[in-house]
């Protein structure tokens, strides 16, 4: 599972049949990017938000079906209020811009995580973005905000427990499909590939149930510096893996 180093040569495009259908991205390294430039951390997040826009567009041009971006975790509330506010403002900017662009773009926007803890204006904009794009047929973009993989499982288990309590299902009816069907990503395929730039080798509570068979691709580039060519390199790393799903070939 070694880290995938950036090479300078421009990568060729991976043939369509070897591309992942669903990708998860842990956007990491914004703080280090800012520190290297002696800028405040929020400048790193702003640069990261620009990368997010470029990479969403690139994934769409490559015909990827689902992209899930880890924007704010359940643990990120522990950061200084100033930094949390800066990330929330970037989310507002994205949603404001998106509400204009979404009408012309064929992208379905979805949010995963407990958005009830977000400011009311953000919740309202999220509801509108979901409504504007629900009928679209193109790539699904999941933005993970106040998301934690363990929280996702707890949230699912609570709903299932309620159904047992109400007598609608029996405990022995509970299986993997039922749990998957109650996660925030219900109805979507599990990520084939999870990408983490910035040189860290962790999932950090991202899609932990859904990532059971995901190919993990780590790259030594900070997220704000991540380019479309880096994305293609990550797709090459994925295409070179042999997926066995526990079998032998
Ligand atoms: C991790 O880098 C990044 C985050 C916690 C925030 C990511 C948020 C954005 C890119 C922008 C907001 C989102 C949208 C949808 C517009 P880090 O701060 O942990 O970096 P470090 O490890 O170098 O300190």
């Amino acid at each position: 599972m070694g880290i995938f180093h950036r090479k300078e040569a421009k990568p060729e495009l991976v043939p369509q049949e070897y591309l992942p259908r669903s990708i998860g991205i842990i956007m990491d390294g914004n703080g280090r990017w800012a520190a290297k430039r002696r800028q405040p951390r929020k400048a790193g997040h702003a640069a990261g938000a620009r990368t997010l826009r470029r990479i969403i567009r690139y994934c769409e041009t490559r015909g990827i079906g689902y992209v899930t971006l880890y924007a704010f975790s359940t643990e990120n509330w522990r950061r200084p209020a100033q930094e949390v506010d800066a990330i929330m403002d970037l989310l507002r900017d994205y949603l404001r811009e998106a509400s204009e662009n979404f009408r012309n773009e064929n992208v379905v926007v979805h949010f995963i995580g407990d958005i009830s803890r977000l400011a009311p204006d953000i919740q309202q904009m999220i509801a509108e973005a979901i409504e504007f794009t629900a009928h679209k047929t193109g790539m699904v973009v999941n933005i993970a905000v106040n998301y934690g993989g363990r929280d996702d499982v707890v949230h699912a288990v609570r709903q299932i427990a309620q159904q047992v309590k109400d007598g609608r299902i029996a405990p022995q009816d509970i299986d993997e499909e039922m749990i998957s069907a109650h996660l925030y990503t219900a109805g979507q395929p599990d990520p084939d590939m999870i990408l983490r730039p910035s040189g860290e080798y962790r999932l950090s509570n991202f899609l932990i149930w859904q990532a059971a068979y995901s190919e993990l691709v780590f790259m030594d580039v900070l997220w704000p510096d991540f380019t479309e060519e880096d994305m293609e390199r990550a797709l090459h790393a994925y295409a070179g893996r042999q997926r066995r799903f526990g079998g032998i070939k």
Side-chain angles (χ1 to χ4, degrees):
M1 168 172 85
I3 195 161
F4 187 76
H5 289 285
R6 195 179 197 178
K7 296 192 199 90
E8 288 314 316
K10 190 176 161 77
E12 291 196 5
L13 294 187
V14 174
Q16 200 71 28
E17 65 266 35
Y18 299 119
L19 290 176
R21 187 172 168 216
S22 174
I23 300 177
I25 304 179
I26 301 175
M27 305 185 284
D28 193 19
N30 297 347
R32 277 162 283 167
W33 183 92
K36 266 172 55 182
R37 286 162 180 75
R38 295 176 198 278
Q39 289 179 13
R41 292 179 61 83
K42 68 177 186 184
H45 296 310
R50 291 194 289 276
T51 303
L52 165 143
R53 288 171 173 81
R54 280 195 288 104
I55 297 303
I56 289 177
R57 218 169 296 129
Y58 187 69
C59 287
E60 203 194 353
T61 62
R62 296 295 281 116
I64 306 295
Y66 301 80
V67 177
T68 305
L69 297 128
Y70 206 5
F72 194 85
S73 75
T74 45
E75 290 76 30
N76 285 152
W77 296 108
R78 294 187 204 133
R79 295 191 179 205
Q82 217 187 5
E83 183 172 345
V84 171
D85 290 347
I87 296 174
M88 292 300 159
D89 279 344
L90 289 165
L91 181 57
R92 279 188 181 89
D93 290 347
Y94 176 74
L95 286 162
R96 214 170 283 128
E97 176 194 300
S99 73
E100 284 155 31
N101 297 344
F102 284 161
R103 290 169 217 271
N104 308 320
E105 287 175 11
N106 193 20
V107 165
V108 182
V109 177
H110 188 72
F111 278 77
I112 62 169
D114 179 7
I115 61 162
S116 69
R117 206 180 149 185
L118 305 181
D121 68 307
I122 298 185
Q123 292 188 47
Q124 175 67 29
M125 284 196 276
I126 288 176
E128 283 166 14
I130 293 171
E131 195 189 316
F132 284 151
T133 66
H135 63 282
K136 306 270 182 172
T137 54
M139 182 172 81
V140 175
V141 176
N142 294 306
I143 313 267
V145 185
N146 193 22
Y147 178 84
R150 289 183 175 182
D151 184 60
D152 199 354
V153 175
V154 168
H155 175 257
V157 168
R158 280 201 186 126
Q159 292 177 62
I160 296 169
Q162 187 64 49
Q163 292 175 36
V164 174
K165 187 174 173 227
D166 295 346
R168 283 183 280 150
I169 57 167
Q172 52 277 21
D173 294 333
I174 300 170
D175 58 11
E176 294 185 9
E177 272 104 288
M178 187 181 288
I179 293 183
S180 293
H182 286 84
L183 297 174
Y184 289 116
T185 49
Q188 300 188 19
D190 286 339
D192 300 300
M193 161 182 147
I194 294 200
L195 166 67
R196 182 168 194 156
S198 96
E200 308 285 351
Y201 295 77
R202 284 189 297 279
L203 274 182
S204 297
N205 203 13
F206 184 49
L207 302 176
I208 52 167
W209 173 278
Q210 298 88 333
Y213 290 103
S214 302
E215 295 293 338
L216 307 181
V217 177
F218 299 104
M219 292 177 78
D220 61 352
V221 46
L222 303 175
W223 175 249
D225 290 329
F226 195 84
T227 64
E228 289 81 344
E229 287 186 11
D230 289 320
M231 189 70 215
E232 199 61 42
R233 290 185 185 101
L235 296 173
H236 270 280
Y238 169 80
R241 307 270 175 92
Q242 241 193 324
R243 304 185 74 200
R244 290 187 292 270
F245 298 98
I248 54 168
K249 63 171 183 154

